[in-house]
Amino acid sequence: MAKSKANAKESTIINKETYLYWYELMLLLRRFEERAGMLYGLQKIRGFCHLYIGQEAVAAGIMSAIRKDDNIITGYKDHALAIAKGISANAAMAELYGKATGSTKGKGGSMHYFSKEHRFFGGHGIVGGQIGLGGGIAFADKYNNTDRVTISMFGDGAARQGILHETFNLAMLWKLPVIFICENNGYAMGTSVKRTSNVVDIAQLGKAYDMPSFSVDGMDPEAVHHAIAEGCERARRGDGPTFLEIETYRYKGHSMSDPQKYRTKEELNQYLNIDPIETTLAKIKSNKFATEAQIDAINEKVKKEVDDCVEFAENSPLPDNDELYKDIYVQQDYPFLVD
Ligand SMILES: Cc1ncc(C[n+]2csc(CCOP(=O)(O)OP(=O)(O)O)c2C)c(N)n1
Ligand SMILES: [Mg+2]
């Protein structure tokens, strides 16, 4: 498992270790999801499955810039962010298999990873819901006088939800320690950003609330890292939220059942040419941050970790039947359930 952080504490320093950390982490996220996609095809994994492939630089740049005890909350495209935040590949794959050893005991599946220990607050299927929840987590930290920062992430498809405006308004009013991130990958399911609004520059939305708002190159972990580090500094100083529109791209469809007829091969190829794993590796090589043997060792380590997590998931038990009645919200005296 890649370390969940390159530097011991929040830092704007980018060095050889940071690059090697990014490379290993992004490779793990990519290989994990490629395998998940394959296993979905084999019906080992069922239900919904949304892949993050192509967007790994966003996860990498965030993780090297935040502290281990900072919070993350995101939407349904959550495998990569959960693993990057520290949920093991084993627990992540077992969750996809619906096994008891999964991060949500096999009861959440692809869209609902959760780990209190790693301060990963889901995995949410209601588009935009996590914007308000993220604001609430940041409120709790401010109320409890901690200096933690919350990263609240959503897709471009959530950027037009009313909850964004209500949350941005209160987050600025109360100077909450939160970084809102819109991962703009150009499409919400099959609908392009430009078909849904005349304001395609999503970062502008924060300006209506005087929130410091920026567009960031999401294919470059270094650009993401600096933007997040700056947002963390602002939040920990007590100056409140930041809004980042991180421009990225997903190579796969919205979900496994997306025929992707809304985009061209040429458009996809443009992004494949600036693939963050390839560009990071090229930088490692040109700066002589690692020898070929060291790079091979990282590749092997990642391959083994993914092979091992599949074996772990295959060999794990299904949840017991009585798990059906645990961890659920139920009103005992609900009139139609009890007489
Ligand atoms: C409140 C709500 N409305 C609609 C949906 C159906 N839905 C699921 S994903 C999605 C689009 C989300 O956009 P984005 O995050 O940009 O999608 P992606 O990049 O993953 O395609 C919609 C409309 C939902 N899950 N929740
Ligand atoms: Mg999108």
mmCIF file with all atom_site columns, all heavy atoms in Angstrom, residues 76-77 125-127 155-157 161 185 187-189 250 254, ligand 1:
data_model
loop_
_atom_site.group_PDB
_atom_site.id
_atom_site.type_symbol
_atom_site.label_atom_id
_atom_site.label_alt_id
_atom_site.label_comp_id
_atom_site.label_asym_id
_atom_site.label_entity_id
_atom_site.label_seq_id
_atom_site.pdbx_PDB_ins_code
_atom_site.Cartn_x
_atom_site.Cartn_y
_atom_site.Cartn_z
_atom_site.occupancy
_atom_site.B_iso_or_equiv
_atom_site.pdbx_formal_charge
_atom_site.auth_seq_id
_atom_site.auth_comp_id
_atom_site.auth_asym_id
_atom_site.auth_atom_id
_atom_site.pdbx_PDB_model_num
ATOM   1   N N   . TYR A 1 76  ? -20.175 9.334  -5.706  1.00 0.00 ? 76  TYR A N   1
ATOM   2   C CA  . TYR A 1 76  ? -20.195 7.875  -5.936  1.00 0.00 ? 76  TYR A CA  1
ATOM   3   C C   . TYR A 1 76  ? -18.928 7.359  -6.594  1.00 0.00 ? 76  TYR A C   1
ATOM   4   O O   . TYR A 1 76  ? -18.677 6.171  -6.598  1.00 0.00 ? 76  TYR A O   1
ATOM   5   C CB  . TYR A 1 76  ? -21.411 7.526  -6.813  1.00 0.00 ? 76  TYR A CB  1
ATOM   6   C CG  . TYR A 1 76  ? -21.524 8.524  -7.931  1.00 0.00 ? 76  TYR A CG  1
ATOM   7   C CD1 . TYR A 1 76  ? -20.750 8.387  -9.075  1.00 0.00 ? 76  TYR A CD1 1
ATOM   8   C CD2 . TYR A 1 76  ? -22.296 9.670  -7.786  1.00 0.00 ? 76  TYR A CD2 1
ATOM   9   C CE1 . TYR A 1 76  ? -20.759 9.350  -10.047 1.00 0.00 ? 76  TYR A CE1 1
ATOM   10  C CE2 . TYR A 1 76  ? -22.310 10.642 -8.764  1.00 0.00 ? 76  TYR A CE2 1
ATOM   11  C CZ  . TYR A 1 76  ? -21.535 10.469 -9.898  1.00 0.00 ? 76  TYR A CZ  1
ATOM   12  O OH  . TYR A 1 76  ? -21.519 11.429 -10.848 1.00 0.00 ? 76  TYR A OH  1
ATOM   13  N N   . LYS A 1 77  ? -18.110 8.258  -7.173  1.00 0.00 ? 77  LYS A N   1
ATOM   14  C CA  . LYS A 1 77  ? -16.881 7.822  -7.850  1.00 0.00 ? 77  LYS A CA  1
ATOM   15  C C   . LYS A 1 77  ? -15.775 7.805  -6.788  1.00 0.00 ? 77  LYS A C   1
ATOM   16  O O   . LYS A 1 77  ? -14.889 8.652  -6.774  1.00 0.00 ? 77  LYS A O   1
ATOM   17  C CB  . LYS A 1 77  ? -16.565 8.855  -8.939  1.00 0.00 ? 77  LYS A CB  1
ATOM   18  C CG  . LYS A 1 77  ? -15.945 8.299  -10.213 1.00 0.00 ? 77  LYS A CG  1
ATOM   19  C CD  . LYS A 1 77  ? -15.616 9.437  -11.154 1.00 0.00 ? 77  LYS A CD  1
ATOM   20  C CE  . LYS A 1 77  ? -16.660 9.720  -12.192 1.00 0.00 ? 77  LYS A CE  1
ATOM   21  N NZ  . LYS A 1 77  ? -16.799 8.689  -13.190 1.00 0.00 ? 77  LYS A NZ  1
ATOM   22  N N   . GLY A 1 125 ? -24.416 8.714  -3.070  1.00 0.00 ? 125 GLY A N   1
ATOM   23  C CA  . GLY A 1 125 ? -25.075 8.544  -4.369  1.00 0.00 ? 125 GLY A CA  1
ATOM   24  C C   . GLY A 1 125 ? -26.016 9.660  -4.755  1.00 0.00 ? 125 GLY A C   1
ATOM   25  O O   . GLY A 1 125 ? -26.407 9.777  -5.909  1.00 0.00 ? 125 GLY A O   1
ATOM   26  N N   . ILE A 1 126 ? -26.377 10.494 -3.791  1.00 0.00 ? 126 ILE A N   1
ATOM   27  C CA  . ILE A 1 126 ? -27.289 11.603 -4.099  1.00 0.00 ? 126 ILE A CA  1
ATOM   28  C C   . ILE A 1 126 ? -26.433 12.749 -4.622  1.00 0.00 ? 126 ILE A C   1
ATOM   29  O O   . ILE A 1 126 ? -25.657 13.345 -3.873  1.00 0.00 ? 126 ILE A O   1
ATOM   30  C CB  . ILE A 1 126 ? -28.062 12.070 -2.838  1.00 0.00 ? 126 ILE A CB  1
ATOM   31  C CG1 . ILE A 1 126 ? -28.797 10.904 -2.170  1.00 0.00 ? 126 ILE A CG1 1
ATOM   32  C CG2 . ILE A 1 126 ? -29.013 13.207 -3.164  1.00 0.00 ? 126 ILE A CG2 1
ATOM   33  C CD1 . ILE A 1 126 ? -29.856 10.250 -3.004  1.00 0.00 ? 126 ILE A CD1 1
ATOM   34  N N   . VAL A 1 127 ? -26.571 13.043 -5.896  1.00 0.00 ? 127 VAL A N   1
ATOM   35  C CA  . VAL A 1 127 ? -25.693 14.043 -6.511  1.00 0.00 ? 127 VAL A CA  1
ATOM   36  C C   . VAL A 1 127 ? -25.759 15.370 -5.743  1.00 0.00 ? 127 VAL A C   1
ATOM   37  O O   . VAL A 1 127 ? -26.840 15.932 -5.563  1.00 0.00 ? 127 VAL A O   1
ATOM   38  C CB  . VAL A 1 127 ? -26.070 14.258 -7.999  1.00 0.00 ? 127 VAL A CB  1
ATOM   39  C CG1 . VAL A 1 127 ? -25.398 15.501 -8.566  1.00 0.00 ? 127 VAL A CG1 1
ATOM   40  C CG2 . VAL A 1 127 ? -25.685 13.030 -8.801  1.00 0.00 ? 127 VAL A CG2 1
ATOM   41  N N   . GLY A 1 155 ? -18.921 16.271 -8.678  1.00 0.00 ? 155 GLY A N   1
ATOM   42  C CA  . GLY A 1 155 ? -18.681 16.367 -10.118 1.00 0.00 ? 155 GLY A CA  1
ATOM   43  C C   . GLY A 1 155 ? -19.300 17.619 -10.708 1.00 0.00 ? 155 GLY A C   1
ATOM   44  O O   . GLY A 1 155 ? -20.045 18.344 -10.034 1.00 0.00 ? 155 GLY A O   1
ATOM   45  N N   . ASP A 1 156 ? -19.005 17.865 -11.994 1.00 0.00 ? 156 ASP A N   1
ATOM   46  C CA  . ASP A 1 156 ? -19.580 19.034 -12.672 1.00 0.00 ? 156 ASP A CA  1
ATOM   47  C C   . ASP A 1 156 ? -21.111 18.940 -12.703 1.00 0.00 ? 156 ASP A C   1
ATOM   48  O O   . ASP A 1 156 ? -21.802 19.954 -12.696 1.00 0.00 ? 156 ASP A O   1
ATOM   49  C CB  . ASP A 1 156 ? -19.035 19.161 -14.105 1.00 0.00 ? 156 ASP A CB  1
ATOM   50  C CG  . ASP A 1 156 ? -19.031 17.835 -14.837 1.00 0.00 ? 156 ASP A CG  1
ATOM   51  O OD1 . ASP A 1 156 ? -18.137 17.013 -14.564 1.00 0.00 ? 156 ASP A OD1 1
ATOM   52  O OD2 . ASP A 1 156 ? -19.952 17.589 -15.644 1.00 0.00 ? 156 ASP A OD2 1
ATOM   53  N N   . GLY A 1 157 ? -21.627 17.702 -12.691 1.00 0.00 ? 157 GLY A N   1
ATOM   54  C CA  . GLY A 1 157 ? -23.079 17.518 -12.729 1.00 0.00 ? 157 GLY A CA  1
ATOM   55  C C   . GLY A 1 157 ? -23.761 17.987 -11.461 1.00 0.00 ? 157 GLY A C   1
ATOM   56  O O   . GLY A 1 157 ? -24.975 18.217 -11.450 1.00 0.00 ? 157 GLY A O   1
ATOM   57  N N   . GLN A 1 161 ? -26.639 22.292 -8.554  1.00 0.00 ? 161 GLN A N   1
ATOM   58  C CA  . GLN A 1 161 ? -27.617 21.955 -7.511  1.00 0.00 ? 161 GLN A CA  1
ATOM   59  C C   . GLN A 1 161 ? -27.774 23.131 -6.551  1.00 0.00 ? 161 GLN A C   1
ATOM   60  O O   . GLN A 1 161 ? -26.796 23.797 -6.208  1.00 0.00 ? 161 GLN A O   1
ATOM   61  C CB  . GLN A 1 161 ? -27.133 20.744 -6.702  1.00 0.00 ? 161 GLN A CB  1
ATOM   62  C CG  . GLN A 1 161 ? -27.070 19.451 -7.491  1.00 0.00 ? 161 GLN A CG  1
ATOM   63  C CD  . GLN A 1 161 ? -28.400 18.726 -7.490  1.00 0.00 ? 161 GLN A CD  1
ATOM   64  O OE1 . GLN A 1 161 ? -29.448 19.346 -7.563  1.00 0.00 ? 161 GLN A OE1 1
ATOM   65  N NE2 . GLN A 1 161 ? -28.366 17.427 -7.420  1.00 0.00 ? 161 GLN A NE2 1
ATOM   66  N N   . ASN A 1 185 ? -14.988 17.017 -15.234 1.00 0.00 ? 185 ASN A N   1
ATOM   67  C CA  . ASN A 1 185 ? -14.465 16.121 -16.277 1.00 0.00 ? 185 ASN A CA  1
ATOM   68  C C   . ASN A 1 185 ? -15.243 16.298 -17.580 1.00 0.00 ? 185 ASN A C   1
ATOM   69  O O   . ASN A 1 185 ? -15.186 15.466 -18.463 1.00 0.00 ? 185 ASN A O   1
ATOM   70  C CB  . ASN A 1 185 ? -14.460 14.658 -15.798 1.00 0.00 ? 185 ASN A CB  1
ATOM   71  C CG  . ASN A 1 185 ? -15.850 14.186 -15.401 1.00 0.00 ? 185 ASN A CG  1
ATOM   72  O OD1 . ASN A 1 185 ? -16.851 14.797 -15.737 1.00 0.00 ? 185 ASN A OD1 1
ATOM   73  N ND2 . ASN A 1 185 ? -15.910 13.069 -14.694 1.00 0.00 ? 185 ASN A ND2 1
ATOM   74  N N   . TYR A 1 187 ? -18.327 16.119 -18.409 1.00 0.00 ? 187 TYR A N   1
ATOM   75  C CA  . TYR A 1 187 ? -19.622 15.467 -18.631 1.00 0.00 ? 187 TYR A CA  1
ATOM   76  C C   . TYR A 1 187 ? -20.285 15.042 -17.325 1.00 0.00 ? 187 TYR A C   1
ATOM   77  O O   . TYR A 1 187 ? -19.607 14.592 -16.400 1.00 0.00 ? 187 TYR A O   1
ATOM   78  C CB  . TYR A 1 187 ? -19.456 14.216 -19.501 1.00 0.00 ? 187 TYR A CB  1
ATOM   79  C CG  . TYR A 1 187 ? -18.896 14.529 -20.870 1.00 0.00 ? 187 TYR A CG  1
ATOM   80  C CD1 . TYR A 1 187 ? -17.524 14.427 -21.099 1.00 0.00 ? 187 TYR A CD1 1
ATOM   81  C CD2 . TYR A 1 187 ? -19.729 14.955 -21.899 1.00 0.00 ? 187 TYR A CD2 1
ATOM   82  C CE1 . TYR A 1 187 ? -16.996 14.742 -22.347 1.00 0.00 ? 187 TYR A CE1 1
ATOM   83  C CE2 . TYR A 1 187 ? -19.208 15.272 -23.149 1.00 0.00 ? 187 TYR A CE2 1
ATOM   84  C CZ  . TYR A 1 187 ? -17.846 15.166 -23.368 1.00 0.00 ? 187 TYR A CZ  1
ATOM   85  O OH  . TYR A 1 187 ? -17.330 15.485 -24.591 1.00 0.00 ? 187 TYR A OH  1
ATOM   86  N N   . ALA A 1 188 ? -21.599 15.159 -17.311 1.00 0.00 ? 188 ALA A N   1
ATOM   87  C CA  . ALA A 1 188 ? -22.396 14.604 -16.226 1.00 0.00 ? 188 ALA A CA  1
ATOM   88  C C   . ALA A 1 188 ? -23.204 13.484 -16.877 1.00 0.00 ? 188 ALA A C   1
ATOM   89  O O   . ALA A 1 188 ? -24.097 13.764 -17.673 1.00 0.00 ? 188 ALA A O   1
ATOM   90  C CB  . ALA A 1 188 ? -23.321 15.661 -15.644 1.00 0.00 ? 188 ALA A CB  1
ATOM   91  N N   . MET A 1 189 ? -22.858 12.259 -16.607 1.00 0.00 ? 189 MET A N   1
ATOM   92  C CA  . MET A 1 189 ? -23.364 11.115 -17.365 1.00 0.00 ? 189 MET A CA  1
ATOM   93  C C   . MET A 1 189 ? -23.076 11.419 -18.840 1.00 0.00 ? 189 MET A C   1
ATOM   94  O O   . MET A 1 189 ? -21.927 11.559 -19.212 1.00 0.00 ? 189 MET A O   1
ATOM   95  C CB  . MET A 1 189 ? -24.842 10.854 -17.078 1.00 0.00 ? 189 MET A CB  1
ATOM   96  C CG  . MET A 1 189 ? -25.097 10.591 -15.588 1.00 0.00 ? 189 MET A CG  1
ATOM   97  S SD  . MET A 1 189 ? -26.819 10.338 -15.181 1.00 0.00 ? 189 MET A SD  1
ATOM   98  C CE  . MET A 1 189 ? -26.869 8.590  -15.044 1.00 0.00 ? 189 MET A CE  1
ATOM   99  N N   . ARG A 1 250 ? -12.336 11.845 -17.596 1.00 0.00 ? 250 ARG A N   1
ATOM   100 C CA  . ARG A 1 250 ? -12.426 10.413 -17.292 1.00 0.00 ? 250 ARG A CA  1
ATOM   101 C C   . ARG A 1 250 ? -12.335 9.639  -18.602 1.00 0.00 ? 250 ARG A C   1
ATOM   102 O O   . ARG A 1 250 ? -13.003 9.974  -19.571 1.00 0.00 ? 250 ARG A O   1
ATOM   103 C CB  . ARG A 1 250 ? -13.703 10.091 -16.520 1.00 0.00 ? 250 ARG A CB  1
ATOM   104 C CG  . ARG A 1 250 ? -15.006 10.553 -17.175 1.00 0.00 ? 250 ARG A CG  1
ATOM   105 C CD  . ARG A 1 250 ? -16.192 9.889  -16.527 1.00 0.00 ? 250 ARG A CD  1
ATOM   106 N NE  . ARG A 1 250 ? -17.454 10.558 -16.694 1.00 0.00 ? 250 ARG A NE  1
ATOM   107 C CZ  . ARG A 1 250 ? -18.193 10.589 -17.787 1.00 0.00 ? 250 ARG A CZ  1
ATOM   108 N NH1 . ARG A 1 250 ? -17.745 10.033 -18.902 1.00 0.00 ? 250 ARG A NH1 1
ATOM   109 N NH2 . ARG A 1 250 ? -19.346 11.206 -17.801 1.00 0.00 ? 250 ARG A NH2 1
ATOM   110 N N   . HIS A 1 254 ? -19.420 7.281  -17.595 1.00 0.00 ? 254 HIS A N   1
ATOM   111 C CA  . HIS A 1 254 ? -19.920 7.676  -16.272 1.00 0.00 ? 254 HIS A CA  1
ATOM   112 C C   . HIS A 1 254 ? -19.985 6.463  -15.351 1.00 0.00 ? 254 HIS A C   1
ATOM   113 O O   . HIS A 1 254 ? -19.549 6.502  -14.211 1.00 0.00 ? 254 HIS A O   1
ATOM   114 C CB  . HIS A 1 254 ? -21.306 8.305  -16.425 1.00 0.00 ? 254 HIS A CB  1
ATOM   115 C CG  . HIS A 1 254 ? -22.073 8.339  -15.160 1.00 0.00 ? 254 HIS A CG  1
ATOM   116 N ND1 . HIS A 1 254 ? -21.808 9.242  -14.155 1.00 0.00 ? 254 HIS A ND1 1
ATOM   117 C CD2 . HIS A 1 254 ? -23.078 7.540  -14.701 1.00 0.00 ? 254 HIS A CD2 1
ATOM   118 C CE1 . HIS A 1 254 ? -22.625 8.999  -13.142 1.00 0.00 ? 254 HIS A CE1 1
ATOM   119 N NE2 . HIS A 1 254 ? -23.400 7.979  -13.448 1.00 0.00 ? 254 HIS A NE2 1
HETATM 120 C C1  . LIG B 2 .   ? -30.106 14.184 -6.712  1.00 0.00 ? 1   LIG B C1  1
HETATM 121 C C2  . LIG B 2 .   ? -29.763 13.279 -7.837  1.00 0.00 ? 1   LIG B C2  1
HETATM 122 N N1  . LIG B 2 .   ? -30.200 13.580 -9.080  1.00 0.00 ? 1   LIG B N1  1
HETATM 123 C C3  . LIG B 2 .   ? -29.884 12.782 -10.122 1.00 0.00 ? 1   LIG B C3  1
HETATM 124 C C4  . LIG B 2 .   ? -29.123 11.659 -9.936  1.00 0.00 ? 1   LIG B C4  1
HETATM 125 C C5  . LIG B 2 .   ? -28.763 10.769 -11.115 1.00 0.00 ? 1   LIG B C5  1
HETATM 126 N N2  . LIG B 2 .   ? -27.358 11.006 -11.486 1.00 0.00 ? 1   LIG B N2  1
HETATM 127 C C6  . LIG B 2 .   ? -26.402 10.168 -11.070 1.00 0.00 ? 1   LIG B C6  1
HETATM 128 S S1  . LIG B 2 .   ? -24.884 10.690 -11.545 1.00 0.00 ? 1   LIG B S1  1
HETATM 129 C C7  . LIG B 2 .   ? -25.494 12.046 -12.320 1.00 0.00 ? 1   LIG B C7  1
HETATM 130 C C8  . LIG B 2 .   ? -24.575 13.033 -12.996 1.00 0.00 ? 1   LIG B C8  1
HETATM 131 C C9  . LIG B 2 .   ? -23.538 13.575 -12.087 1.00 0.00 ? 1   LIG B C9  1
HETATM 132 O O1  . LIG B 2 .   ? -22.608 14.369 -12.743 1.00 0.00 ? 1   LIG B O1  1
HETATM 133 P P1  . LIG B 2 .   ? -21.030 14.138 -12.634 1.00 0.00 ? 1   LIG B P1  1
HETATM 134 O O2  . LIG B 2 .   ? -20.677 13.930 -11.216 1.00 0.00 ? 1   LIG B O2  1
HETATM 135 O O3  . LIG B 2 .   ? -20.352 15.202 -13.393 1.00 0.00 ? 1   LIG B O3  1
HETATM 136 O O4  . LIG B 2 .   ? -20.942 12.747 -13.394 1.00 0.00 ? 1   LIG B O4  1
HETATM 137 P P2  . LIG B 2 .   ? -19.743 11.948 -14.079 1.00 0.00 ? 1   LIG B P2  1
HETATM 138 O O5  . LIG B 2 .   ? -18.602 12.840 -14.299 1.00 0.00 ? 1   LIG B O5  1
HETATM 139 O O6  . LIG B 2 .   ? -19.462 10.824 -13.134 1.00 0.00 ? 1   LIG B O6  1
HETATM 140 O O7  . LIG B 2 .   ? -20.395 11.444 -15.332 1.00 0.00 ? 1   LIG B O7  1
HETATM 141 C C10 . LIG B 2 .   ? -26.875 12.078 -12.211 1.00 0.00 ? 1   LIG B C10 1
HETATM 142 C C11 . LIG B 2 .   ? -27.722 13.150 -12.790 1.00 0.00 ? 1   LIG B C11 1
HETATM 143 C C12 . LIG B 2 .   ? -28.703 11.363 -8.616  1.00 0.00 ? 1   LIG B C12 1
HETATM 144 N N3  . LIG B 2 .   ? -27.944 10.296 -8.343  1.00 0.00 ? 1   LIG B N3  1
HETATM 145 N N4  . LIG B 2 .   ? -28.996 12.198 -7.605  1.00 0.00 ? 1   LIG B N4  1
#
